[in-house]
């Protein structure tokens, strides 16, 4: 049953069922009992009538002194649907061969009182069925009774086929789906009366997998029977969706273990189909880019795509760490009220989660180094484009020979050497990152009295830390300078 105090949810249940039955009236698979046996409803051109108990709702709200128009618009109204099944007889006349009745019974008073609603009992179901008007002409009647608060187990026995017709009970469940109760011999009809479509079921399975992604990170995996029990879905539906989810997400796989399909993670560093490009190791991909006889612009584009893929992997790793931290918080929150045995289990799971978090951090360190290497390679190629001799000769024709141009070229040459000499440092946190972290931590401290402007440069020197000094290029040797204008060349 759906245990919610939100009246709009109950109103939504009514609308969903009524709209679903309206669609079924045109579905050739929808068959009901008639005087001529089980017949498809669509060819009988059913005459449909819709109604509700909105007047009764207004009267009850007035009696309870709740003149709230907004509340009234969100409340369920007990919608009903009547459909008369007819066929032609004696040329111009018609004959009634069957009836369909859909009645929604919401817990109106409990919702207005903001009290938990109770499921309908067998006696209440019998009373609701007796209050419905009898069918005309003695044709078979199919009654569908929906209670958004659910039914008790004893009430399920009222879903049967009797001399009065067929009775079907429908209720929403807490897993997000619907439960349909009726005679077992009418399984095809009961499946059609379920308002949840196949796509909605698949989406519920995917949402459950993403909600429990921490189990995949810790290596536990998700089995089809466990997911089916939690979502109240058939095992074949869950099994197919687990396979489909593994196919759509790199690093996940499914395997049959002890007769069950289990979704698990193959590895944390598996490349995504859109993130890594070629299926070869990182170093081979980078070296292959520089081996190609193509323009620098093309190489830069390939390296930029490689960097984008690495950044996507890094974002996924950060997301995995956040999932692990959230799972640890949930486990720690239930530690105080758990039994001694449960506390030991919680402590063990938290220990495994922290180890997994450490592994993810190592993966992040490796990804950061790869991103830094690719970025340095892009920078070198872009810098090479800027100091291309052919491009610089055009500037030489404009400004002529000057000492400032020589100093600029010497500075660019120095930057080129520094860019080519870049190597990956140790796995410690870089100085600039550590400086920013210290600055932000000092701001976040409750006893902080001074604010340090973000981005204030702090440079590590041999004497400690201090303000960053201006960096000037080294002087160009005199022997390499060009003579001033008007000065005679030596010799």
């Amino acid at each position: 049953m759906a245990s919610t105090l939100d009246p709009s949810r109950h109103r939504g249940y009514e609308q969903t069922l009524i709209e679903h039955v309206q669609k079924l009236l045109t579905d050739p698979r929808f068959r009901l009992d008639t005087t001529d046996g089980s017949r498809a409803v669509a060819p009988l051109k059913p005459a449909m009538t819709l109604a509700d108990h909105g007047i009764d709702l207004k009267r009850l709200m007035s009696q309870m002194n709740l003149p709230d128009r907004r509340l009234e618009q969100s409340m369920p109204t007990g919608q009903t649907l009547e459909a008369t099944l007819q066929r032609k007889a004696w040329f111009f006349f018609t004959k009634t061969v069957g009836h369909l009745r859909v009645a929604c019974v919401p817990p109106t008073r409990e919702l207005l009182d903001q009290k938990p609603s109770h499921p309908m009992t067998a006696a209440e179901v019998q009373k609701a069925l007796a209050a419905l008007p009898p069918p005309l002409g003695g044709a078979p009647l199919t009654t569908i009774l929906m209670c958004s608060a659910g039914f008790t187990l004893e009430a399920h026995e009222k879903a049967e086929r009797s001399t009065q017709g067929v009775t079907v009970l429908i209720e929403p469940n807490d897993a997000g789906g619907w439960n349909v109760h009726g005679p077992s011999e009418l399984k095809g009809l009961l499946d059609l009366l379920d308002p949840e479509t196949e796509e909605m079921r698949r989406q519920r399975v995917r949402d459950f997998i993403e909600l429990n992604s921490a189990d995949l990170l810790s290596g536990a995996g998700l089995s089809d029977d466990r997911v089916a029990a939690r979502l109240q879905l058939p095992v074949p539906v869950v099994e197919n969706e687990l396979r489909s989810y593994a196919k759509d997400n790199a690093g996940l796989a499914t395997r049959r273990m002890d007769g069950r399909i289990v979704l698990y993670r193959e590895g944390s560093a598996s490349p995504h189909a859109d993130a890594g490009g070629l299926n070869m190791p990182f170093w081979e991909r980078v070296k292959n880019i520089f081996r190609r006889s193509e323009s620098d612009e093309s190489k830069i584009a390939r390296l930029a795509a490689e960097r984008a893929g690495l950044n996507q992997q890094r974002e996924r790793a950060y997301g995995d760490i956040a999932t692990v931290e959230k799972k640890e918080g949930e486990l720690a929150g239930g530690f105080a009220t758990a039994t001694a045995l449960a506390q030991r289990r919680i402590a063990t799971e938290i220990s495994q989660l922290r180890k997994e978090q450490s592994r993810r951090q190592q993966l992040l360190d490796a990804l950061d180094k790869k991103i830094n290497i690719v970025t340095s390679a892009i920078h070198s190629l872009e810098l090479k484009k800027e100091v291309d001799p052919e491009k610089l000769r055009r500037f030489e024709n404009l400004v002529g020979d000057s000492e400032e141009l020589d100093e600029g070229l010497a500075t660019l040459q120095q930057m080129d050497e520094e860019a080519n000499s870049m190597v990956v440092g140790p796995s410690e946190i870089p100085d600039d990152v550590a400086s920013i972290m210290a600055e932000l931590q000092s701001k976040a401290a409750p006893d902080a009295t001074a604010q340090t402007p973000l981005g204030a440069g702090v440079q590590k020197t041999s004497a400690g830390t201090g303000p960053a000094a201006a960096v000037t290029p080294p002087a160009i040797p005199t022997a390499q300078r060009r003579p001033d204008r008007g000065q005679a060349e030596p010799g």
Side-chain angles (χ1 to χ4, degrees):
M1 64 178 178
S3 53
T4 175
L5 297 178
D6 184 5
S8 61
R9 291 280 300 277
H10 292 261
R11 185 184 181 96
Y13 292 140
E14 287 188 356
Q15 295 175 345
T16 299
L17 179 62
I18 296 297
E19 292 174 359
H20 178 64
V21 174
Q22 286 180 283
K23 295 178 181 178
L24 286 179
L25 294 178
T26 60
D27 192 331
R29 300 173 300 167
F30 190 48
R31 304 175 68 91
L32 296 179
D33 287 349
T34 66
T35 55
D36 301 327
S38 178
R39 296 283 300 274
V41 174
L44 298 176
K45 301 186 185 305
M48 184 182 60
T49 303
L50 297 175
D52 59 31
H53 296 82
I55 301 300
D56 297 336
L57 174 62
K58 289 178 179 289
R59 185 182 300 111
L60 180 59
M61 294 183 66
S62 177
Q63 294 173 358
M64 299 177 65
N65 195 22
L66 292 173
D68 190 337
R69 187 180 299 273
R70 183 171 298 178
L71 175 61
E72 179 185 347
Q73 293 176 350
S74 65
M75 286 288 294
T77 58
Q79 300 182 49
T80 61
L81 181 149
E82 295 274 352
T84 303
L85 311 182
Q86 298 176 334
R87 65 175 176 84
K88 288 184 179 182
W90 302 104
F91 301 102
F92 302 104
F93 299 97
T94 58
K95 178 183 177 182
T96 300
V97 296
H99 294 278
L100 172 65
R101 177 175 294 155
V102 182
C104 301
V105 185
T108 306
R109 185 174 291 273
E110 289 86 349
L111 292 175
L112 292 176
D113 285 335
Q114 284 293 295
K115 294 180 180 179
S117 55
H118 68 278
M120 289 186 70
T121 63
E124 292 172 336
V125 170
Q126 187 64 37
K127 182 179 179 181
L129 293 175
L132 298 175
L136 299 177
L141 170 65
T142 301
T143 303
I144 301 174
L145 193 65
M146 193 279 288
C147 180
S148 54
F151 300 95
T152 62
L153 292 177
E154 293 78 9
H156 294 169
E157 299 177 358
K158 296 298 180 179
E160 59 183 0
R161 170 180 270 166
S162 62
T163 55
Q164 287 77 24
V166 177
T167 301
V168 178
L169 303 181
I170 300 180
E171 59 180 344
N173 57 48
D174 292 328
W178 297 77
N179 297 332
V180 183
H181 310 280
S184 58
E185 64 270 17
L186 299 178
K187 185 180 183 303
L189 173 64
L190 302 182
D191 292 341
L192 284 176
L193 288 175
D194 190 342
E196 188 176 27
T197 63
E198 189 69 23
E199 183 61 31
M200 295 168 64
R201 292 182 176 184
R202 293 181 54 192
Q203 188 59 45
R204 277 209 291 140
V205 175
R206 288 178 172 263
D207 293 342
F208 182 83
I209 295 174
E210 293 175 0
L211 186 63
N212 294 270
S213 56
D215 293 340
L216 299 177
L217 295 176
S218 61
L222 294 174
S223 61
D224 55 359
D225 57 344
R226 173 193 170 192
V227 178
R230 291 287 298 274
L231 299 182
Q232 301 184 31
L233 289 174
V235 173
V237 174
V238 176
E239 180 179 323
N240 292 335
E241 192 55 32
L242 290 181
R243 287 195 173 101
S244 176
Y245 191 87
K247 188 180 298 183
D248 296 340
N249 293 269
L252 298 180
T254 56
R255 178 176 297 179
R256 186 171 293 277
M257 303 177 184
D258 298 330
R260 300 174 298 176
I261 294 296
V262 179
L263 176 68
Y264 63 96
R265 181 179 288 272
E266 284 185 315
S268 59
S270 299
H272 193 273
D274 298 329
L278 302 175
N279 293 323
M280 61 176 64
F282 168 76
W283 302 112
E284 291 297 327
R285 290 200 302 270
V286 174
K287 288 190 291 185
N288 186 56
I289 292 174
F290 284 94
R291 289 195 194 105
R292 293 174 177 267
S293 57
E294 55 187 7
S295 63
D296 291 343
E297 289 81 359
S298 179
K299 293 180 180 179
I300 291 174
R302 292 178 181 274
L303 289 172
E306 182 71 29
R307 181 173 59 181
L310 292 171
N311 276 290
Q312 290 297 317
Q313 286 184 267
R314 183 172 64 176
E315 289 300 320
R316 288 197 299 274
Y318 275 121
D320 292 343
I321 290 178
T323 301
V324 171
E325 292 176 345
K326 181 181 178 182
K327 182 68 174 181
E328 179 180 344
E330 294 174 353
L331 292 173
F335 182 83
T337 58
T339 62
L341 183 60
Q343 287 181 346
R344 179 175 179 178
R345 177 184 62 83
I346 291 174
T348 303
E349 290 186 16
I350 291 179
S351 174
Q352 294 296 328
L353 289 175
R354 289 181 177 176
K355 292 176 183 177
E356 183 63 28
Q357 185 175 0
S358 176
R359 299 185 188 101
R360 298 286 158 175
Q361 188 59 54
Q362 292 177 355
L363 175 62
L364 278 173
D365 292 341
L367 290 173
D368 287 337
K369 289 181 175 62
K370 289 182 177 181
I371 292 173
N372 184 45
I373 293 171
V374 174
T375 303
S376 298
I378 294 175
H379 174 70
S380 298
L381 289 173
E382 291 177 340
L383 195 60
K384 180 182 175 182
K385 288 171 54 180
E386 295 299 327
V387 296
D388 186 6
E390 293 296 331
K391 295 181 179 179
L392 293 177
R393 286 194 186 95
R394 294 198 298 266
F395 291 99
E396 184 179 10
N397 295 333
L398 295 176
V399 300
D401 298 331
S402 64
E403 183 177 352
E404 290 80 8
L405 179 59
D406 289 338
E407 292 178 359
L409 292 174
T411 304
L412 290 176
Q413 178 64 28
Q414 177 185 343
M415 292 176 63
D416 184 41
E417 294 173 356
E418 292 177 355
N420 292 331
S421 64
M422 288 182 182
V423 295
V424 180
S427 60
E428 290 83 1
I429 299 177
D431 293 342
D432 56 343
V433 177
S435 175
I436 295 175
M437 287 179 60
E439 176 186 339
L440 296 177
Q441 289 172 355
S442 64
K443 288 184 178 181
D447 56 347
T449 57
Q451 296 291 334
T452 305
L454 185 62
V458 178
Q459 183 175 348
K460 209 168 186 180
T461 62
S462 59
T465 58
V471 180
T472 57
I476 303 175
T478 307
Q480 298 179 4
R481 295 184 180 178
R482 299 186 180 183
D484 295 336
R485 295 181 180 179
Q487 184 177 352
E489 295 284 347

